[in-house]
Amino acid sequence: MSEPTPVSPVSMSATLAADEALARRRAAGERVLSMASGEIGLPVLPALRDRLAAAAGENAYGSVAGGPALRTAVAGYWERRGLAVEPGLVVAGPGSKALLFALLLAIGGDVIVPVPSWVSYAAQARLVGALPIPVPILSGQGGVPDPERLREAVADARAAGRHPRAVVVTVPDNPTGTVASAATVRELAAAARELDLVVVSDEIYCDLVYDSSAPAVSPALHAPERTVVTTGLTKNLALGGWRTGVARLPDSELGRALHTRLVAIASQIWSSPPAPVQTAAAYAFREPPEVVERIAASRRLHEKVVRAVAARFTAVGAELSPVVATCYLYPDFEPLRDHLAAAHGVHDGDALAALLSERYGVGVLPATAFGEPGRPLRIRAATSHFYGETDEQRTAALESADPLVLPWIRGSVDRAGVVLADLAAAPVAALAPHA
């Protein structure tokens, strides 16, 4: 009898597992502060809700790659960002997460991933039978591996008989909330061309850069023939439950071949994106004024709250690169290592995350969840659950000129400050008025 095929080693997504654990504790009546998940806690824009409801009768499968209306709207969205594409090279799917997985299947070979990087990149590589090859980022430039170290890692992998064929980047970055510089992205694109790598650029956060006059630079601008770009509505419009993602394939021989394989894979996995959601998504990607205004309000809210929480971390001595996009912070408690060891028996990020959860009811994720080796004293925290428990509160947060004065947001920020001060045996930092 032949041996059974080994099962790919993969665990529950760290973000989803943390969310479920906190939900159970909240249901049991415990006081918890959720900073583990990046789900954006904001209400559905009414114009999108109405279009989804009106499209509820659309129940046919439709095109595997998505309907013409959606693909045309998405092509326009990218053209407005300097990334013109024919609608025929756009593929839609049930979330960019599913598209990223299908892309790794379509590309084949091993996968370069930045360190740190989103929790699912390395797991998805393993699921497709590939080896995730970690390459560190440059300081303060999350989401993009250091181009020089990328060259070294690919050379070493190929010398060892491996076959790296793709590099995944995140622009802007989860978990650090930072953006790689234009020069780093340009050099990454040059390295990918030299090494014959496909760049998979996850740009799900591209609309959440605080300074809209200085957008993140896509590697597709510098290596257009080999860069696939993905995005969706999960973050900019807080539509995580709608599961809609889109991919832009390069207009090249490589890109057209990838498109053919990606659509074939999609036909065997999800058949087609959900039709009613496509209708609402097409409207969103056309970016009418109410969509543009909602995303701008979201950016302002994220920036205000993230910067207030960042001040709590730095006030107790943690180091933190300036957050310029998203709702994420990636503080380093290395300056507090001796104190944390002596006062709490904490020697790494895993123990720190466990302490914050068990003693204080604060959910965060350790750096190891994002692929960091060794025993770093880093964690990722998200502020996206601070905006309210009801749609009424969340709408008020979006509309407020100073969301930090709203009692539910102020309470969460203050709670984070009290916990960090107790952890570090430091004075509690006051929340500056109109911060």
Side-chain angles (χ1 to χ4, degrees):
M1 181 180 293
S2 61
E3 291 293 321
T5 302
V7 176
S8 298
V10 65
S11 57
M12 176 78 169
S13 164
T15 52
L16 299 182
D19 262 359
E20 290 186 5
L22 288 171
R24 287 193 295 270
R25 293 176 64 176
R26 183 181 287 111
E30 294 184 48
R31 182 185 184 186
V32 298
L33 185 64
S34 177
M35 300 180 73
S37 164
E39 180 173 8
I40 311 297
L42 292 173
V44 176
L45 183 66
L48 297 181
R49 182 189 59 215
D50 294 344
R51 279 163 177 79
L52 180 66
E58 298 177 17
N59 64 344
Y61 282 117
S63 170
V64 174
L70 175 58
R71 288 186 285 108
T72 299
V74 171
Y77 169 91
W78 269 314
E79 184 174 6
R80 290 187 292 276
R81 286 155 179 78
L83 300 175
V85 63
E86 292 295 321
L89 287 170
V90 173
V91 177
S96 61
K97 193 173 189 176
L99 277 170
L100 287 163
F101 179 67
L103 277 164
L104 296 185
L105 280 170
I107 295 167
D110 297 323
V111 185
I112 308 296
V113 295
V115 178
S117 63
W118 179 51
V119 298
S120 290
Y121 295 145
Q124 288 190 347
R126 294 187 187 98
L127 281 172
V128 303
L131 177 72
I133 301 172
V135 177
I137 64 170
L138 292 167
S139 178
Q141 297 192 56
V144 175
D146 177 343
E148 281 308 309
R149 297 182 74 169
L150 168 67
R151 290 181 173 96
E152 295 168 4
V154 170
D156 290 346
R158 287 175 175 165
R162 302 301 309 186
H163 301 285
R165 295 191 60 195
V167 53
V168 180
V169 302
T170 318
V171 186
D173 182 43
N174 168 15
T176 67
T178 61
V179 177
S181 72
T184 296
V185 172
R186 184 169 56 248
E187 184 61 22
L188 179 280
R193 184 175 289 125
E194 293 167 18
L195 299 165
D196 193 23
L197 298 174
V198 177
V199 181
V200 179
S201 186
D202 181 352
E203 300 182 13
I204 193 80
Y205 300 99
C206 74
D207 294 333
L208 295 181
V209 178
Y210 304 149
D211 183 356
S212 57
S213 69
V217 175
S218 173
L221 292 172
H222 300 292
E225 81 288 355
R226 62 183 58 251
T227 301
V228 182
V229 182
T230 66
T231 192
L233 305 177
T234 299
K235 305 300 179 180
N236 62 355
L237 285 165
L239 298 175
W242 287 23
R243 308 314 304 142
T244 299
V246 290
R248 173 193 183 274
L249 281 296
D251 187 6
S252 64
E253 182 179 354
L254 180 151
R256 287 185 288 275
L258 267 181
H259 179 275
T260 299
R261 291 197 293 275
L262 178 60
V263 171
I265 289 165
S267 75
Q268 301 291 359
I269 299 177
W270 61 76
S271 299
S272 65
V277 177
Q278 286 191 64
T279 296
Y283 182 80
F285 278 114
R286 287 195 290 271
E287 298 184 289
E290 62 267 36
V291 167
V292 173
E293 291 166 8
R294 165 58 69 88
I295 294 171
S298 299
R299 278 197 303 268
R300 290 191 296 269
L301 176 60
H302 293 323
E303 181 178 13
K304 285 275 191 179
V305 178
V306 161
R307 293 198 169 167
V309 176
R312 297 300 185 279
F313 281 105
T314 56
V316 301
E319 295 177 341
L320 184 66
S321 294
V323 178
V324 298
T326 79
C327 55
Y328 302 121
L329 307 101
Y330 201 64
D332 188 348
F333 286 78
E334 185 61 34
L336 299 170
R337 182 175 288 278
D338 290 346
H339 168 75
L340 292 174
H344 305 291
V346 165
H347 301 279
D348 55 31
D350 291 74
L352 178 56
L355 176 69
L356 286 168
S357 175
E358 293 162 10
R359 180 178 299 177
Y360 301 103
V362 175
V364 297
L365 295 177
T368 51
F370 302 93
E372 293 232 45
R375 309 189 76 184
L377 265 169
R378 286 183 285 279
I379 58 171
R380 193 204 70 176
T383 60
S384 51
H385 285 281
F386 285 20
Y387 305 147
E389 295 294 328
T390 66
D391 278 357
E392 182 181 25
Q393 287 184 340
R394 293 163 179 162
T395 299
L398 277 168
E399 295 175 349
S400 175
D402 186 3
L404 296 173
V405 304
L406 298 174
W408 57 92
I409 293 180
R410 188 182 186 102
S412 293
V413 174
D414 284 348
R415 174 65 181 157
V418 168
V419 167
L420 290 168
D422 187 70
L423 184 75
V428 178
L431 180 62
H434 308 291

